[in-house]
Amino acid sequence: MQNSDDVLAAALAAPERTPDHSTRLGGQEHGEQVQSWKLERSYATDLPEALRAFSGSASAQLELQLGGADAEPAPRLYSAWAPRSTADVVRPGQSVVHATGLSGRTLPAFRGTVRSRSAASGSDTVTVQALDGAERLRGPAQLPRPYHGLLYGRPVATTVWCVDELLRQGGIHTCPPPRAPAPADALDQPFTALYASLHGGFNASHGQPETLPDPASYSWIRDGAPHEMALMPAAARLAVSWMPRSRFAVSGKVFQAECWVNTALAKDSIVEIKLVFDRSAGAYGYYSGTFDISTGVVKIAAGTLNGAYWYFTWGFNQLASLRGTWHLGFAVDTRAGGSSVLATVKPRLTAPDGQYLAGGPATFVDASAGQPPSELQRVDLTTDMAVECLQVTDRSWPDLDSYNGNEWDLKGRWRKGAVLDTADIPLYDIPQVSGSQWDALTEIARATMSTAEFDEQGVFRWRGPDRFRSVPPRPDLTVTTRHSIAALTVSEEIDACRNYCSQPYADWTGVTSLNGQAVLDTVIREIKPNTVVEVRYTVAEDENDIGPLGIDDDAAPINGHKVRFGSTATGGTSVKGSVTVSALRDGPDYVVRFINHGTSSVWTVTKDGKPSVQIIPQVRSAQSKQRTFAWYNSTSQAYYGKQVYEAPASAWVQSRQSADTLSHAMLDAGRYPVPVLGEVDVLHDPRVQLGDTVRVVDTTGAELDTLAWVVGIRSTFQAGTAPQQTLTLRGTSYNGVPLDPGLVPDPPVDPLYGTQRTYADITAAYATLDQLTATGLTYRDLLVPAGGTS
């Protein structure tokens, strides 16, 4: 139920009502011109009507009929050929906000965009149809498909992570978004090298997971998450790592790493982000930021991995004393350059009370902190506490001192527009998606017994299979035939009974990731200084995503997925730490982008003068095995017979545990046919929402007093009349197990079938026709054997 005030509640309870509404088109109020409106919400699914509350997507549709204004008819103002000065207010894609209520008090009813308009010539009416936030998700659906889940045999994501990623693609966020998601042609513009929301998966919007922890060592939590969902370690020092989508060069720029944590949910006191850089000859350097909430000390270190290093520390009393959501990170300035750059570093923090804290910049002088030419290889996260939204930004704010708190916290850059549910359907391999983002969301909802919808305020809500499992202790609303119900129809159907429920699932056990056939470049490419070169290579659709090419060098040559940059077109010496290499999967293309930050051209050439780009696709060692898990209820089968529901095979269900959860949820919903209360005509109440629990009291017909879920709402209004509302309700429970008191149901087959007397039996009993006639037997009596019943 939507929240309201005492004035609206009193108006809804009063015997006399004065309806009110507000309709904004293009940000302008046009409520007085609305002749009628109709608003519908319901779940679209292929399940029987009595079960449809349990899965599917809901798109609210609003239909308005507008009249004219200032003595001008509506078609002249708002038709497709009307002047833009008036017609654009209802053009397709224009914003629509509708609110309804009573006595000057209104509540949000719809927020979306115009889908179509129709002007009837010779009339004073233009019909406008609008769709809710689902229209924002009409872009092409794409999901990152890393190979690491199969490689390690561990979940790489969940269905909720995929939902969150599809929403983000449509501009709907649940946590701070990537700072610079799109590739930048300008060499000095920011670029997101890694973005991992940690909303139910290690998969990354930008970048890929490198290592995956054991599922027993963590959980995905919503209560206490900094924004929406967080990775929660089961014990201290949970370690995860990612490969970036951009192996940017260490020297000549400012870059930063950051995350959000809840220090009140901690197994110990440390969170550390480490950026590992690939040097020549197989050596690695790093920058790390370590935050200790027990002492309030922040340490930023630089050095050689497993070798010498140097560090600076800063103390923040608030970090030790304030528990809650913290925004933690650090910046690295390597513009000093040189053969072994000594960086300037600086910590940045935002406390739970919103205070921005920045330590003073510190510049390394000890040689152990120097970083020779190298490229970003890996990002490591070690955490003792709930963590969310990890990201690394290349070419960040160029001036460390002028970087302010608003920019650090992305204020004004995003607004939360979605609410998720528990991440409980793990994925080892991300299924391929097609169509629009809304199509993909609908597919996931149907496959996982979940619901997807935008509410009246434009907020997307995703609810998993547990949504309708428990009945609330009290209803959100009570409707009675004595006050608010004008019509009520209760129906019960055998199609709503599902007492044998099976769920197929894709079993990836034993399937791993292997190197596919190498793709070798046929061209030696010159990368000129301060230029961008982008090349597309074709990969198969069934191949998983791969990261950016590794940068080869002559001192310690690498195999596999790589590129070597030579100082001359014929080979020359290998060049390290001069070229940033980025990668992007774009449908059938693997897009590689080279940016040369040096002062001289380099070439993609091997030591012996051949093209050096070598792409190694990742393929599955085998296809998953199709298995099925089923739950059934013998008591229900005894009364209703075996009623099977076989869920469609879906790539989104990838474990026996998930199949167990989903099939049991369906059995809980359908083992007995739950009544549907259809066409429940009630007094219009703008507070009612899909999924609300309503108590229905009928004292005039069925003597009914039951709880039901709202699974469909249709509201209509005609000028001069009161709004009408029709609800579709699904009972929260059935009316007990059948007892059939005093009934002995007839068997499905006539007991007399196959027992009738034959012609020979009759002639043996009655020698003549006169004897038979004298008995006065009917034809049916004649066929029944002696001692039988007719």
Side-chain angles (χ1 to χ4, degrees), residues 160 163-164 167 174 199 222 228-229 418-422 462:
V160 167
V163 169
D164 189 57
L167 292 173
T174 49
H199 284 181
R222 296 189 65 241
E228 181 60 29
M229 187 176 295
V419 178
L420 305 175
D421 207 340
T422 305
W462 178 270

Side-chain angles (χ1 to χ4, degrees), residues 719-738:
T721 65
Q724 303 295 315
Q725 193 171 61
T726 301
L727 305 178
T728 301
L729 308 175
R730 181 190 187 274
T732 59
S733 62
Y734 51 91
N735 189 25
V737 178

